Amino acid sequence: MAKSTHSTNPNIPKALAANSTVSPKLDSLSSKIGSTSTTDLGSLPVCVPVSPEKTLQKRSPTEKLDSLSIGKNSRLKKEGTESFAVKFATTKNTTTSVTVARNISELSINQYNLSIVLLVHHKFQKNGQGTVGKFLGYDNNGESVNVVFYRQTITALDGLEEGQYLKITYGRVKPANLIFSLATSKYDIEMTNPKNMKVVEQSDFNIPFRSIKICDIIDHGEINSVFDCIGKISVDNEGLADDQGRLKITINDGSGDIDVIAFDDESKQILRAAVGLQQNVFAFQRLKHNIFQNDTQLIFRDGAEVLTMVDDARFLDLLKSDTKLQDV
């Protein structure tokens, strides 16, 4: 039978006695301690019990576990990422619950499978390089969305005409830039392949006119909201551009006055044409709400419209009263 290597000397520290194996050098030292009086211990080297050290793992130079920066602290980054996945699991499931969107209200972030028919209502001006363009499309519920084309698909936009109906079967749904968007949807549809759209026969979509009183726009309107309103153009407006190159007219619907501002040449030309007509009352569609130096404004830009007639009771009353004044 093999002889045990455990020392039985009672003067050996317990931590050392607990080890399963004692080196010969340490065993020899323990024998000396056992045979030496306490007065001679001072001449011997002191043996301090130590717990076994863990082997240090090599870390990445950028892994700073004491750093306050989440990007440099891998522990914080991992913990936060895992917590994020759990915290927003419900939201993620909600936004992807609709497998195939069949109208604009069913669009959700990062969705691709679509089966939407849209009326191509307005084609916007392309960017300066001509590599990005979009059109404003309406579905059969009267909701609108921007359909965006980039360099790889821009030629497909060139082949579309306003008034056509387009069926889209696939495209990336992404958040819209609400600062510039005139659509009712908070999402855009990005066309990734021209093969995923085709012109179809359709003819029954209507563009709704949702009139808001000017006083309500002034009192309750949120910046970057889009409004339809009616108004009579003030007779003292000549439609001339100011020193800043903008054109401003004032309209009134009986509840209040508000300025309508245009910056680009096409928009200014449309407002000048409205001022030049004999008719003074118009319906203004898709105006962007803005506040500048505490003054409420409506921005008339590419995609907005001035209509000479809409099926709206307030518009018809205002138009009728203005016609009577002109006849007097």
Side-chain angles (χ1 to χ4, degrees):
M1 179 180 294
K3 185 178 180 180
S4 172
T5 57
H6 285 146
S7 175
T8 57
N9 191 326
N11 295 314
I12 296 178
K14 293 181 180 180
L16 292 176
N19 290 330
S20 60
T21 303
V22 181
S23 66
K25 184 180 293 186
L26 187 57
D27 194 34
S28 173
L29 179 61
S30 65
S31 300
K32 292 181 181 180
I33 294 176
S35 60
T36 307
S37 65
T38 56
T39 56
D40 298 329
L41 291 178
S43 60
L44 293 174
V46 179
C47 186
V48 181
V50 205
S51 301
E53 291 188 8
K54 295 182 180 179
T55 303
L56 293 177
Q57 296 180 352
K58 187 177 181 180
R59 292 176 183 164
S60 168
T62 59
E63 185 181 355
K64 302 177 181 178
L65 298 182
D66 60 339
S67 174
L68 298 178
S69 170
I70 296 177
K72 296 182 181 300
N73 190 322
S74 60
R75 178 181 59 79
L76 289 178
K77 188 176 182 180
K78 180 181 179 181
E79 178 183 333
T81 301
E82 293 174 350
S83 176
F84 177 89
V86 174
K87 186 181 296 185
F88 292 96
T90 304
T91 304
K92 182 178 180 181
N93 292 336
T94 300
T95 57
T96 58
S97 59
V98 179
T99 304
V100 179
R102 302 185 183 280
N103 54 59
I104 292 173
S105 64
E106 292 181 348
L107 294 176
S108 58
I109 188 67
N110 291 331
Q111 189 176 36
Y112 290 88
N113 294 321
L114 311 171
S115 182
I116 298 181
V117 176
L118 298 175
L119 167 63
V120 182
H121 181 64
H122 178 78
K123 292 175 64 175
F124 294 90
Q125 296 288 331
K126 297 178 184 178
N127 70 337
Q129 294 75 32
T131 56
V132 180
K134 64 181 180 179
F135 75 79
L136 182 69
Y138 279 84
D139 66 8
N140 60 344
N141 295 323
E143 300 301 322
S144 57
V145 67
N146 296 309
V147 181
V148 186
F149 298 76
Y150 290 98
R151 187 186 303 272
Q152 296 82 358
T153 57
I154 195 69
T155 54
L157 176 63
D158 296 336
L160 295 178
E161 297 179 4
E162 293 179 356
Q164 288 182 323
Y165 288 84
L166 190 70
K167 183 173 184 178
I168 300 175
T169 56
Y170 191 90
R172 178 177 174 236
V173 179
K174 62 180 184 179
N177 188 333
L178 301 182
I179 297 177
F180 300 102
S181 176
L182 298 181
T184 60
S185 176
K186 61 181 180 181
Y187 300 115
D188 287 347
I189 298 176
E190 178 185 329
M191 293 307 303
T192 56
N193 192 327
K195 294 181 180 179
N196 297 322
M197 66 181 209
K198 66 176 180 178
V199 176
V200 296
E201 294 294 331
Q202 197 85 29
S203 61
D204 56 353
F205 288 12
N206 295 315
I207 309 301
F209 181 80
R210 303 181 175 102
S211 179
I212 304 294
K213 289 184 178 181
I214 290 177
C215 64
D216 291 333
I217 296 175
I218 295 173
D219 294 337
H220 308 294
E222 296 183 1
I223 294 180
N224 293 325
S225 296
V226 180
F227 293 111
D228 298 343
C229 65
I230 62 175
K232 177 181 178 181
I233 298 178
S234 298
V235 294
D236 58 346
N237 278 280
E238 299 179 358
L240 299 177
D242 62 15
D243 295 337
Q244 298 179 359
R246 62 181 183 176
L247 184 149
K248 179 178 75 172
I249 64 174
T250 304
I251 61 174
N252 182 290
D253 67 348
S255 71
D257 294 320
I258 196 167
D259 291 335
V260 178
I261 312 291
F263 294 93
D264 63 276
D265 292 337
E266 178 64 19
S267 297
K268 288 189 286 188
Q269 184 177 352
I270 293 173
L271 290 186
R272 287 196 187 100
V275 173
L277 293 177
Q278 186 175 359
Q279 179 176 331
N280 294 320
V281 176
F282 298 94
F284 297 84
Q285 192 161 38
R286 291 183 296 276
L287 302 183
K288 199 75 169 177
H289 180 248
N290 185 46
I291 296 179
F292 179 71
Q293 295 181 347
N294 296 324
D295 291 332
T296 302
Q297 304 173 338
L298 293 174
I299 308 301
F300 190 98
R301 59 170 58 150
D302 185 17
E305 295 184 74
V306 181
L307 307 173
T308 57
M309 180 62 66
V310 291
D311 185 12
D312 180 272
R314 292 180 56 249
F315 174 82
L316 296 175
D317 289 342
L318 190 61
L319 181 62
K320 188 183 297 183
S321 63
D322 183 61
T323 302
K324 290 182 178 178
L325 289 175
Q326 292 185 33
D327 292 339
V328 173

